[in-house]
């Protein structure tokens, strides 16, 4: 039987920190791993077409997927952060109004992106970094992806709203089912129906629509706040809170897209093999970071509930538990990636130039991979507790402040090596910013705790 809201509140605020976060994190980690795996599935199956241009097109279109995800995360995290804090205060009806506002706003945004993207698809392909040889493949793949924009965006919203309620298991089911379906459909549509690269795009869209309906069903079950259009509020108060909670995600994911576009433009002069190699490395790095991000996603509802309930000591304890645990995972993953980089790259493309470029880039990223532990958790915590300015800065620092300038400048100075070095340089720079910001946030929380005790 599903939990009532009161039972959920007691569980989130009283259960031992490590045990609770681990239970919340496991379905999130599974969801992230499966999602990353199916993101790599397109790269893998398209790679079997034996064309660097087709593989490069997936890397180019990946930046558009990042934009769609960015908008979905904006509404999903923006509404979800608010929902978790209100549930911590036991303001259930207020949480329902925010859920409806975030969901229906995202669907409208998805329709707008779909229409604009399909009308200007060739211009969009060039903007994303497509070359003349990659363009036909990019248009085929991107045209299919854009049709799914409304469903993809709202799936991210539902996924995050369920997570922030502490119901990550329902979110996991929806995401996992859609991801497995995508992996099944890829070879069927690409090779069985001879649809080529467009088959990979349609496989993604179909799987996202199925995920959407599973997540929507889960949202309506007992113990979850309900989605009703009557609760939608076209009011500044709700959009202000969505903006405050969602703009760090929008900045992070949006800049990830801009970073990919910058990477494609920087790699373009060196040939399709370099674009393909760096696109493959991006997908692999995302898969490797999935455990870290999933752990952070398990921390987010815990953080929101306990911060809303004024249990600041539990929030700090949970942060350090997540940092230490995820650090162990990241070091282990980085060691495997460094040791077997050529073999891993060759799974996606057997071209010698792609393997050479991708292997060196992957090994460089493995050296700084463990920095994600502190960076991601700091960003997630500041975002959940409503620290919009530091959260947005941390969200933009890695890709915006450091990576984009590094890849554009270094590619001109030292060529392909500069492109390969850009990401580890960005990781180190972001860590040096994240440490003092997070320590300052802890100091502010301690002062707030002392003040509230004095008032009582």
């Amino acid at each position: 039987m599903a939990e009532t809201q009161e039972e959920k509140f007691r569980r989130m605020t009283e259960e031992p920190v490590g045990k609770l976060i681990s239970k919340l994190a496991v379905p999130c980690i599974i969801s992230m791993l499966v999602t990353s795996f199916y993101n790599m599935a397109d790269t893998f199956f398209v790679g079997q077409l034996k064309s660097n241009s087709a593989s490069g097109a997936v890397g180019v279109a990946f930046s558009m997927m990042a934009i769609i995800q960015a908008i979905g995360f904006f509404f999903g995290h923006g509404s979800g952060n608010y929902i978790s804090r209100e549930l911590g205060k036991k303001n259930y009806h207020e949480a329902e109004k925010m859920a409806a506002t975030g969901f229906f706003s995202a669907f409208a945004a998805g329709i707008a992106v779909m229409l604009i993207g399909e009308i200007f698809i060739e211009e969009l392909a060039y903007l994303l970094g497509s070359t003349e040889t990659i363009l036909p493949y990019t248009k085929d793949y991107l045209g299919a992806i854009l049709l799914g924009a409304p469903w993809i965006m709202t799936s991210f919203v539902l996924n995050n709203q369920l997570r922030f309620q502490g119901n990550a298991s329902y979110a996991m089911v929806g995401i996992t089912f859609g991801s497995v379906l995508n992996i099944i459909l890829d070879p069927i549509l690409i090779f069985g129906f001879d649809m080529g690269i467009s088959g990979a795009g349609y496989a993604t869209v179909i799987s996202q629509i199925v995920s959407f309906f599973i997540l929507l069903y889960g949202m309506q079950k007992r113990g979850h706040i309900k989605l009703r259009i009557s609760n939608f509020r076209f009011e500044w108060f709700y959009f202000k809170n969505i903006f405050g909670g969602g703009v760090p995600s929008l900045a992070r994911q949006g800049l990830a897209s801009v970073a990919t576009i910058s990477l494609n433009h920087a790699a373009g002069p060196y040939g399709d093999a370099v674009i393909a190699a760096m696109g493959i490395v991006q997908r692999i790095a995302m898969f490797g970071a999935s455990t870290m991000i999933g752990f952070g996603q398990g921390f987010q509802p815990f953080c929101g509930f306990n911060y809303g309930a004024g249990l600041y000591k539990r929030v700090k304890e949970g942060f350090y538990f997540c940092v230490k645990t995820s650090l162990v995972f990241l070091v282990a993953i980085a060691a495997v990636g460094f040791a077997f980089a050529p073999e891993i790259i060759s799974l996606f493309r057997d071209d010698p130039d792609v393997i050479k470029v991708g292997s060196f880039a992957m090994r460089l990223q493995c050296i700084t991979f463990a920095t994600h532990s502190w960076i991601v958790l700091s960003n997630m915590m500041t975002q959940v507790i409503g620290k919009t300015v530091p959260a947005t800065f941390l969200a933009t620092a890695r890709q915006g402040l450091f990576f984009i300038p590094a890849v554009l400048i270094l590619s001109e100075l030292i060529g392909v090596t500069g492109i390969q070095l850009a990401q580890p340089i960005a990781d180190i720079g972001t860590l040096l910013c994240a440490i003092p910001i997070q320590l300052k946030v802890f100091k502010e929380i301690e002062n707030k705790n002392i003040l509230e005790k004095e008032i009582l």
Side-chain angles (χ1 to χ4, degrees):
M1 184 178 291
E3 288 179 304
T4 64
Q5 293 291 356
E6 282 292 333
E7 290 169 340
K8 188 186 301 177
F9 176 84
R10 288 195 296 272
R11 175 170 63 90
M12 296 292 282
T13 57
E14 296 175 10
E15 192 169 321
V17 171
K19 179 182 177 182
L20 175 60
I21 293 178
S22 297
K23 287 198 297 187
L24 292 170
V26 167
C28 295
I29 292 170
I30 293 172
S31 296
M32 285 303 304
L33 286 172
V34 172
T35 300
S36 296
F37 189 71
Y38 102 74
N39 278 334
M40 291 197 301
D42 281 1
T43 304
F44 174 79
F45 286 113
V46 171
Q48 307 311 302
L49 295 172
K50 306 299 181 183
S51 166
N52 283 343
S53 296
S55 295
V58 176
V60 170
F62 182 64
S63 52
M64 189 63 218
M65 279 292 291
I67 292 172
I68 294 171
Q69 291 176 5
I71 299 172
F73 276 124
F74 170 75
F75 288 106
H77 284 168
S79 59
N81 288 320
Y82 182 87
I83 287 167
S84 68
R85 294 197 301 269
E86 292 306 301
L87 292 177
K89 299 172 185 176
K90 301 185 179 182
N91 294 335
Y92 303 129
H93 184 57
E94 190 66 20
E96 287 187 341
K97 288 191 284 187
M98 178 56 85
T101 303
F103 173 82
F104 290 107
S105 298
F107 195 79
I111 292 175
V113 168
M114 177 186 69
L115 294 175
I116 294 170
E118 292 288 1
I119 292 170
F120 300 103
I121 190 166
E122 185 164 323
E123 294 84 351
L124 179 60
Y126 280 123
L127 180 64
L128 296 175
S130 179
T131 63
E132 289 286 346
T133 52
I134 290 175
L135 180 64
Y137 298 97
T138 304
K139 288 172 66 177
D140 285 345
Y141 185 70
L142 193 58
I145 294 296
L146 287 167
L147 291 175
W151 312 101
I152 296 171
M153 285 185 194
T154 45
S155 290
F156 277 108
V157 173
L158 291 170
N159 178 36
N160 283 289
Q161 288 185 353
L162 283 165
R163 282 197 309 101
F164 278 101
Q165 294 177 63
N167 298 315
S169 295
Y170 286 98
M172 177 191 70
V173 171
I175 295 297
T176 302
F177 190 90
S179 300
V180 171
L181 180 61
N182 190 109
I183 294 168
I184 294 171
L185 289 176
D186 261 339
I188 294 173
L189 297 183
I190 294 172
F191 305 111
F193 285 84
D194 198 26
M195 294 175 68
I197 192 171
S198 63
Y202 285 112
T204 298
V205 172
I206 293 168
S207 66
Q208 288 291 335
I209 292 174
V210 172
S211 281
F212 167 83
F213 283 107
I214 293 173
L215 291 167
L216 185 63
Y217 173 77
M219 194 74 168
Q220 304 304 110
K221 294 182 72 66
R222 181 178 178 270
H224 301 172
I225 56 176
K226 300 298 186 291
L227 271 178
R228 299 184 180 92
I229 195 168
S230 59
N231 283 326
F232 176 83
R233 295 292 184 272
F234 193 71
E235 299 173 14
W236 170 240
F237 172 80
Y238 294 98
F239 286 102
K240 180 182 71 174
N241 276 281
I242 289 175
F243 183 85
V247 73
S249 294
L250 181 64
R252 179 173 56 251
Q253 293 294 124
L255 278 170
S257 178
V258 176
T260 302
I261 294 169
S262 300
L263 176 63
N264 292 333
H265 281 287
Y270 302 100
D272 290 354
V274 177
I275 296 177
M278 296 309 297
I280 290 169
V281 171
Q282 277 189 310
R283 297 293 180 99
I284 294 170
M286 179 181 293
F287 180 77
S290 295
T291 301
M292 164 70 251
I293 296 171
F295 219 90
Q297 289 178 343
F299 170 72
Q300 284 179 305
F302 164 87
C303 180
F305 266 84
N306 286 279
Y307 187 82
L311 302 173
Y312 307 126
K313 185 178 179 181
R314 276 175 65 86
V315 172
K316 186 175 181 178
E317 183 184 348
F319 174 86
Y320 279 111
F321 170 79
C322 289
V323 168
K324 293 173 185 177
T325 307
S326 60
L327 183 62
V328 174
F329 281 109
L330 290 179
V331 170
I333 291 169
V336 173
F338 191 94
F340 299 101
E343 290 82 1
I344 294 171
I345 297 294
S346 66
L347 291 174
F348 300 91
R349 195 77 186 92
D350 59 3
D351 183 278
D353 291 332
V354 173
I355 295 171
K356 180 181 178 181
V357 173
S359 298
F360 186 59
M362 184 173 169
R363 281 176 168 156
L364 288 174
Q365 291 192 30
C366 286
I367 293 172
T368 59
F369 205 52
T371 61
H372 290 248
S373 178
W374 186 278
I375 293 169
V376 173
L377 264 299
S378 297
N379 195 187
M380 287 183 170
M381 179 175 166
T382 51
Q383 185 174 356
V384 171
I385 66 177
K387 300 284 185 181
T388 305
V389 174
T392 303
F393 175 80
L394 288 175
T396 59
R398 182 170 180 261
Q399 302 290 45
L401 183 62
F402 295 109
F403 177 79
I404 294 173
V407 76
L408 294 177
I409 294 171
L410 293 178
S411 64
E412 291 291 330
L413 294 177
I414 52 177
V416 175
T417 304
I419 297 171
Q420 295 165 318
L421 279 168
Q423 194 63 75
I425 289 173
D427 290 340
I428 294 170
T430 308
L431 179 66
L432 294 176
C433 294
I435 291 173
I437 287 174
Q438 184 61 34
L439 294 178
K440 183 182 177 183
V441 168
F442 279 139
K443 186 66 176 177
E444 291 173 355
I445 289 176
E446 289 172 7
N447 292 337
K448 184 176 181 178
N449 192 28
I450 292 170
L451 180 61
E452 289 181 358
K453 286 180 179 179
E454 288 176 350
I455 292 173
L456 292 173

